[in-house]
């Protein structure tokens, strides 16, 4: 009988501790329900284990275990196995929902997304014969500018549409894409 009291006490403590942690997180944002970094990230997963599913697991495990111990005639091993399976299912469901919600708008930064070579823009400050000018272009919805150096013999007139060929030390080398007809 002493073992029965111990396991019921464990179930009750787990239920109340889990419930208090869940409620503390609900009242002021996250409470103790942060997350632990355990890899992932570049591997394609969310890259963290939210503590919320772990707290849900503890709460469900304690509550299910208490109810089964108190109101069913099952032995302790069966109760522990059943409440573990139920708590795992609920915790995994919670994790799946959280992972889906938290990664929905996740745009992982990719170095190629910020590659300046190949960007189309226009000359905003003219440059000729090795002089320095400026071009403007749009990258991810943001207007950006970069210095351009005209190659010897190259005329870059304000308004010319150019493509960045390469960038060295913050200075772009460009090639003419199209010149406005009124400038010809």
């Amino acid at each position: 009988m002493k073992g029965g009291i111990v396991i019921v006490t464990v179930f009750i403590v787990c239920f109340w501790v889990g419930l208090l942690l869940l409620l503390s997180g609900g009242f002021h944002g996250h409470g103790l329900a942060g997350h632990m970094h355990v890899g992932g990230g570049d591997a394609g997963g969310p890259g963290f284990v939210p503590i919320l599913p772990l707290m849900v697991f503890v709460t469900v495990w304690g509550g299910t275990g208490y109810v089964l111990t108190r109101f069913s005639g099952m032995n302790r091993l069966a109760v522990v196995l059943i409440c573990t399976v139920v708590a795992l299912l609920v915790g995994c469901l919670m994790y799946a929902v959280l992972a889906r919600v938290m990664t929905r708008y996740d745009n992982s930064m990719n170095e190629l997304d910020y590659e300046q070579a190949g960007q189309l823009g226009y000359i905003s400050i003219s440059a000729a014969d090795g002089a320095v000018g400026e071009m403007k272009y749009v990258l991810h919805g943001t207007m950006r500018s970069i210095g351009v150096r005209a190659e010897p013999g190259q005329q870059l007139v304000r308004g010319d549409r150019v493509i960045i060929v390469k960038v060295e030390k913050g200075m772009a080398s460009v090639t003419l894409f199209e010149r406005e007809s009124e400038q010809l």
Side-chain angles (χ1 to χ4, degrees):
M1 186 66 185
K2 181 126 173 123
I5 293 173
V6 171
I7 195 74
V8 168
T9 305
V10 169
F11 286 141
I12 290 173
V13 168
C14 285
F15 174 75
W16 284 111
V17 167
L19 187 63
L20 288 173
L21 289 173
L22 283 171
L23 291 177
S24 77
F27 286 129
H28 54 78
H30 61 80
L32 300 175
H35 61 271
M36 298 180 298
H37 292 274
V38 292
D42 291 338
F48 56 88
V49 176
I51 293 178
L52 183 62
L54 297 175
M55 291 186 309
V56 167
F57 172 84
V58 170
T59 306
V60 171
W61 188 81
T64 306
Y66 175 75
V67 168
L68 289 176
T69 302
R70 183 89 170 139
F71 301 110
S72 76
M74 290 189 240
N75 65 8
R76 280 176 263 163
L77 180 61
V79 168
V80 169
L81 290 176
I82 290 173
C83 69
T84 300
V85 168
V86 169
L88 275 174
L89 289 174
V90 173
C92 288
L93 178 68
M94 176 67 72
Y95 179 77
V97 168
L98 283 176
R100 183 178 174 118
V101 168
M102 287 196 269
T103 59
R104 176 177 292 165
Y105 301 107
D106 180 29
N107 294 330
S108 297
M109 292 179 66
N110 186 351
E111 189 175 332
L112 293 177
D113 291 339
Y114 296 92
E115 179 65 36
Q116 293 173 318
Q119 294 296 322
L120 176 65
Y122 65 92
I123 298 294
S124 56
I125 298 176
S126 301
D129 282 329
V132 176
E134 180 187 61
M135 75 170 281
K136 295 194 180 282
Y137 63 100
V138 176
L139 184 63
H140 292 289
T142 304
M143 179 64 75
R144 299 174 188 236
S145 64
I146 189 170
V148 295
R149 182 174 305 278
E151 299 294 324
Q154 186 181 34
Q155 295 279 40
L156 299 174
V157 182
R158 183 181 172 137
D160 283 350
R161 291 176 53 123
V162 293
I163 297 175
I164 299 174
V165 177
K166 66 180 177 178
V167 178
E168 289 180 351
K169 298 181 182 176
M171 195 64 66
S173 297
V174 297
T175 184
L176 191 61
F177 180 72
E178 107 184 337
R179 180 164 279 163
E180 292 185 21
S181 58
E182 61 198 39
Q183 295 175 357
L184 294 176

